[in-house]
Amino acid sequence: MRSLGVVFAGALMWASSAHADDPPIKIGVMNDMSSVYAVAGGRETVEAVRMAIDDAGPVLGKKAELIFADHQNKPDVGSAIARRWYDVEGVDAVVDVPNSAVAFAVQSLAKEKKKISLFVGALSSDVTGPKCDTYTTQWAVDTYSLAHVMGAAVLKRGGNRWFFLGADYVFGRALVRDTSAVIEANGGKVLGAVYAPLNTSDFSSFLLQAQPTNPNVIGLANSSDDTVNSIKQAVEFGLTSNGATFAAYVLFLEHVQSITLKAAHGLLLANPFYWDLNDETRAWSKRFEEKIGHPPDWDPAMSYSAVFHYLKAVNAAGSRDADAVAAKMRELPVNDFTTKDGKVRIDGRVLRNLYLLQVKKPEESKGKWDLYNVVATVPGDEAFRPLQDGGCPLVKAGSAKP
């Protein structure tokens, strides 16, 4: 009788020879590399994905390949890039895709072509709700979890009269929708909402509409540089002179640096990752900082997690077939420096802890990037929408238990 070791070695040799003539797995990072969402993403996410490919090692006998492109925050540009990647360049999976409008265009095409979508920067909860499909996963926060974790925290602190300034596309409107439901369910009041185009430099006409309502919370349902500019201009207009506070949903380390701890201290954030959480996050972040020059924010870290898990699933499935890989991604637990025993649900929603963070006072900070205190750790099954409530057709079809 042959030993198990010989049998296993033979199986590995067979698997290697079976894929010897196949091209390597190819991953495309698609995001904003030149505009409002380039901060803490862009080429930083490309580098994080490169680290995931290096750490994963050979996949089906060969090292995975990486390409990347700037979608310019335009759905037609994103769709054209994805079509070329799928039809000409043989891309197996697309990762990141901030801007939900672009993500929906990519998601539709990926479903048609049976390709894997690893969304990180696409935050509309509709991705894993009505628009869910077998091939799409959502790795970071979404509008539901932001609304519930952040909205509940602000309400508990007395913020019950909200006025929203949102981004005028699906992300901003979904975030206002989801947060409004939380506010009204908990006895608060939504006083109004206005929506500004992406990458607006002057928010004055929008902010002036908030003044007469006298809110005690200004909900900033936008992101990145738009949020920074909103905060600075709201302060200039005196919207916080009556004690009103901000609910800023998507801010990165560099943004807090720009606002300064003196102005931003006390601000709450709901994040899926912080570089200084524990020894593992600090160790990986040190590697990243050696390449980029500063610690990572959550977009690069979550993109690493998504790609690392995907490549692990490809090897476990022994195939690049999208149906086999998608099933294996849902079967295997998500384990890396960002996530412990996470789960990919049938609707594609990744269940993992979220962290309620609060910006430190200047005197609390021990260094340039020591910016947050961890206020609470929120388990994934509390932070994210219950499976049966999302309207995912895969769940309606009874294809899995919650």
Side-chain angles (χ1 to χ4, degrees), residues 309-384:
H309 187 74
Y310 164 72
L311 295 176
K312 181 180 177 181
V314 172
N315 267 339
S319 170
R320 73 200 311 143
D321 176 77
D323 287 289
V325 174
K328 192 61 68 173
M329 288 179 70
R330 286 156 173 78
E331 175 186 327
L332 297 173
V334 181
N335 278 305
D336 54 55
F337 70 94
T338 72
T339 310
K340 299 304 173 191
D341 295 323
K343 175 179 175 56
V344 183
R345 287 193 318 203
I346 184 66
D347 61 351
R349 176 66 261 173
V350 178
L351 295 184
R352 55 179 312 283
N353 291 344
L354 294 186
Y355 304 96
L356 183 65
L357 307 175
Q358 189 166 38
V359 178
K360 289 184 173 183
K361 297 177 181 178
E363 61 269 23
E364 293 178 308
S365 177
K366 298 177 182 177
K368 181 178 181 180
W369 301 107
D370 178 28
L371 301 181
Y372 304 143
N373 287 314
V374 180
V375 176
T377 300
V378 185
D381 57 359
E382 296 179 16
F384 295 104

Side-chain angles (χ1 to χ4, degrees), residues 49-76:
V49 170
R50 185 174 284 116
M51 292 170 69
I53 290 172
D54 290 343
D55 290 350
V59 180
L60 302 182
K62 297 177 182 179
K63 183 178 179 179
E65 291 184 355
L66 169 66
I67 61 175
F68 52 90
D70 183 348
H71 61 40
Q72 302 174 42
N73 290 299
K74 298 176 181 178
D76 58 336

Side-chain angles (χ1 to χ4, degrees), residues 126-276:
D126 288 350
V127 166
T128 54
K131 294 182 180 294
C132 83
D133 64 75
T134 301
Y135 310 107
T136 300
T137 52
Q138 194 171 29
W139 286 80
V141 290
D142 57 24
T143 54
Y144 180 98
S145 59
L146 287 172
H148 282 70
V149 175
M150 272 282 292
V154 174
L155 283 160
K156 286 179 181 178
R157 288 160 172 78
N160 58 1
R161 291 171 50 83
W162 292 60
F163 189 96
F164 287 98
L165 172 58
D168 192 13
Y169 73 105
V170 289
F171 159 68
R173 293 181 182 276
L175 188 50
V176 171
R177 175 198 68 199
D178 290 348
T179 307
S180 296
V182 174
I183 295 166
E184 291 165 357
N186 288 275
K189 187 173 183 180
V190 178
L191 305 173
V194 291
Y195 298 91
L198 189 66
N199 211 9
T200 295
S201 59
D202 184 0
F203 289 92
S204 58
S205 64
F206 303 100
L207 292 167
L208 285 171
Q209 296 180 59
Q211 279 185 322
T213 68
N214 194 31
N216 60 12
V217 181
I218 302 166
L220 299 174
N222 49 20
S223 176
S224 199
D225 290 348
D226 283 352
T227 301
V228 173
N229 290 331
S230 299
I231 291 174
K232 290 180 176 179
Q233 292 175 34
V235 171
E236 290 174 5
F237 274 91
L239 287 179
T240 57
S241 60
N242 66 345
T245 59
F246 296 107
Y249 292 88
V250 185
L251 273 182
F252 296 114
L253 295 165
E254 292 175 70
H255 297 132
V256 175
Q257 285 280 1
S258 171
I259 298 169
T260 75
L261 293 184
K262 183 178 179 180
H265 73 83
L267 196 66
L268 294 171
L269 300 169
N271 280 14
F273 173 81
Y274 177 41
W275 72 268
D276 200 20

